[in-house]
Amino acid sequence: HEVLIELFRVRMTMAPEMMHRVFHAEFPDYTSIEITDSNLVEIVATEARADLVLLLKDELPVYAIIVEVQLARDPRKRFTWPPYAATIRARYECPVDLLSVCPESSVARWAAQPIEFLSGQTLALSVLGPERVPEPTAEEARQVPELGLLSTMAHPAAPAAPAIALSVQEP
């Protein structure tokens, strides 16, 4: 869990890059990305904390990405994810997306099911499961080691996995 969060924390462009590459997401022009407070505590006595919240900014926030790593099915998340998105949207007054990173295919399928709320309205997450993780070339993995590591974790039996893993280690 922490290793996957750290991949997105170390390379803050990884979340928008994956969302663009895998989900064809388009973002407003931005000049910087920063990690912001992932504590989603409201005045209510319950604590809510996202794994990672990234703000795409052009002076002001233009887009927010909540990164949530899901290692297993957690039925409670289907009730907590919508408030995460609503809280970040209200806090930064910009569009928000929730990227769920799921190392297991069955968890990815579960997370990809739309969440119903607000009289039939649904929240659809961007889910990055093993099937959706790109398999980079060794050169791409050398240039973006976080993508190489993510790909190796998602596709350990792929023919290119050993070469990708080795290229991530090379200086």
Side-chain angles (χ1 to χ4, degrees):
H1 185 263
E2 294 304 315
V3 169
L4 288 168
I5 294 169
E6 198 61 21
L7 286 177
F8 288 88
R9 182 184 313 279
V10 168
R11 183 175 178 87
M12 291 185 284
T13 59
M14 182 98 149
E17 287 168 355
M18 287 294 100
M19 292 180 67
H20 177 73
R21 185 171 179 171
V22 176
F23 304 105
H24 310 289
E26 296 294 330
F27 303 103
D29 290 339
Y30 61 95
T31 55
S32 66
I33 299 177
E34 69 180 41
I35 294 173
T36 189
D37 187 6
S38 59
N39 186 339
L40 306 176
V41 175
E42 292 296 309
I43 295 175
V44 183
T46 58
E47 180 180 4
R49 185 177 309 273
D51 290 334
L52 182 66
V53 178
L54 299 170
L55 278 182
L56 285 60
K57 297 176 73 174
D58 188 16
E59 291 188 37
L60 297 174
V62 295
Y63 209 93
I65 302 173
I66 301 167
V67 179
E68 280 284 296
V69 173
Q70 272 312 116
L71 302 180
R73 292 179 188 204
D74 179 353
R76 186 80 191 117
K77 291 291 185 172
R78 303 192 66 71
F79 294 95
T80 59
W81 282 334
Y84 284 13
T87 299
I88 293 300
R89 183 177 185 275
R91 182 178 294 162
Y92 297 106
E93 298 182 357
C94 66
V96 68
D97 205 339
L98 202 151
L99 175 63
S100 182
V101 181
C102 304
E104 297 291 327
S105 297
S106 63
V107 177
R109 284 190 299 276
W110 167 81
Q113 296 171 4
I115 300 169
E116 289 191 45
F117 71 109
L118 293 177
S119 303
Q121 299 294 316
T122 59
L123 172 67
L125 282 59
S126 297
V127 179
L128 190 60
E131 294 82 7
R132 307 236 30 200
V133 173
E135 293 185 52
T137 64
E139 181 56 31
E140 284 179 303
R142 235 185 321 282
Q143 292 175 2
V144 185
E146 297 83 2
L147 174 58
L149 182 55
L150 185 65
S151 178
T152 302
M153 292 170 74
H155 312 290
I164 291 170
L166 287 173
S167 68
V168 169
Q169 296 175 10
E170 293 176 2

